[in-house]
Amino acid sequence: MIASGWRNRSLIKALVTREVLGRYSGSVVGILWSFFNPALMLFVYTFVFSVVFKARWGVGSGSKTEFALVLFSGLLVFNLFAEVISRAPGLILSNANYVKKVVFPLETLPLVALGAAVFHGFVSLLVWLLAYSSLFGLPHPTVLLIPLVITPLLLFIVGLAWALASLGVFLRDVSQFIGIIITGLMFLSPIFYPLTALPQEYRQMLLFNPLTPAIEMVRDVLYWGRAPDMVILSIYYLATAFIAWLGFAWFQKTRKGFADVL
């Protein structure tokens, strides 16, 4: 798995660049849309939750924009997950020419989708940091721990993307099913509410959501200035590394049948 990514790193970089630039080709503003989109969404969340609903997170300063920034930090994680997983079932189907006509490392396609999503996530993070800096001053030093807490999430995403990309070839209903799952996970993750707002019995169930540790840790290092729990982080690394390996192994095992099905 690691050797494949390293061996094809130049190809992955070129395809990620093409995908990011191709998404905005023909538009007047171009790649700046990747900055304007999260900035607009942050403005909308701030207005809706702090002005319309007058929502507060329940702890912290209780400022007017606190809910919007805390909410947006959770959405950074979810949007990264949703962008890749929603596309995963169709990755091979939309690149059938790579299967039939040329010798191509198909296992790089989920990595390319992940790379594009990481770019948009990074831009959204910059928007969040600019908003926080303008409202509250310099961010906490713990913001430097973002790569540490986001890496296991990337392992989980790419492992699941490999599995779904393979399943999407044989079962065309996977893409429809995944759309429902993504919508459900958005509301079953501590994005719009703190984990502590749930009763204890439901709180334990929510911890089985693979996005919950990532959302909580990203929110801790970004907004609350708390370092992640190293025990939970270590377990998260081990679990997601296993999922990544399992997804890659499944993809490599089933790829021999892609050409026959397509």
Side-chain angles (χ1 to χ4, degrees):
M1 179 178 68
I2 297 173
S4 176
W6 177 257
R7 185 170 56 248
N8 298 295
R9 62 189 183 281
S10 298
L11 174 64
I12 295 171
K13 180 180 178 182
L15 290 177
V16 168
T17 303
R18 188 186 73 172
E19 178 155 337
V20 170
L21 296 178
R23 182 175 301 189
Y24 306 103
S25 63
S27 64
V28 177
V29 181
I31 199 171
L32 288 178
W33 277 115
S34 63
F35 178 85
F36 292 146
N37 284 334
L40 177 61
M41 293 309 299
L42 180 58
F43 173 78
V44 170
Y45 291 137
T46 302
F47 175 77
V48 170
F49 287 103
S50 64
V51 178
V52 179
F53 292 139
K54 300 185 183 301
R56 296 294 182 270
W57 198 253
V59 292
S61 62
S63 65
K64 186 177 181 180
T65 54
E66 180 182 76
F67 193 98
L69 285 174
V70 175
L71 168 65
F72 198 72
S73 63
L75 283 173
L76 290 175
V77 175
F78 178 79
N79 289 341
L80 177 61
F81 169 83
E83 181 176 344
V84 179
I85 300 305
S86 62
R87 294 181 54 200
L91 284 176
I92 305 299
L93 296 175
S94 60
N95 294 280
N97 55 317
Y98 289 158
V99 180
K100 296 180 178 181
K101 298 180 180 179
V102 298
V103 178
F104 184 85
L106 295 174
E107 69 274 10
T108 61
L109 293 177
L111 292 172
V112 172
L114 180 63
V118 167
F119 171 79
H120 292 110
F122 177 73
V123 175
S124 297
L125 177 61
L126 289 180
V127 171
W128 190 95
L129 292 173
L130 288 173
Y132 185 93
S133 299
S134 62
L135 293 169
F136 301 110
L138 289 177
H140 300 286
T142 51
V143 73
L144 299 175
L145 297 176
I146 278 290
L148 179 67
V149 300
I150 210 70
T151 297
L153 175 68
L154 300 183
L155 291 172
F156 171 72
I157 291 173
V158 75
L160 191 56
W162 272 318
L164 291 174
S166 172
L167 288 173
V169 176
F170 303 102
L171 299 172
R172 304 301 171 91
D173 294 333
V174 171
S175 58
Q176 305 300 324
F177 177 72
I178 287 300
I180 298 173
I181 294 299
I182 290 175
T183 302
L185 279 177
M186 182 172 67
F187 294 102
L188 293 175
S189 302
I191 299 174
F192 301 98
Y193 50 85
L195 190 61
T196 54
L198 296 175
Q200 188 65 35
E201 59 271 19
Y202 295 109
R203 196 182 309 172
Q204 296 298 323
M205 293 174 58
L206 201 63
L207 290 176
F208 286 99
N209 181 344
L211 296 182
T212 297
I215 292 172
E216 290 291 301
M217 287 188 288
V218 166
R219 187 171 283 149
D220 281 344
V221 299
L222 277 182
Y223 194 85
W224 306 118
R226 295 193 293 256
D229 187 313
M230 297 309 296
V231 174
I232 295 177
L233 185 60
S234 299
I235 296 173
Y236 198 39
Y237 262 98
L238 292 174
T240 55
F242 176 73
I243 291 172
W245 173 82
L246 198 62
F248 182 80
W250 169 262
F251 185 91
Q252 295 294 72
K253 185 72 174 178
T254 57
R255 64 183 297 170
K256 298 177 182 178
F258 291 170
D260 295 333
V261 175
L262 295 175

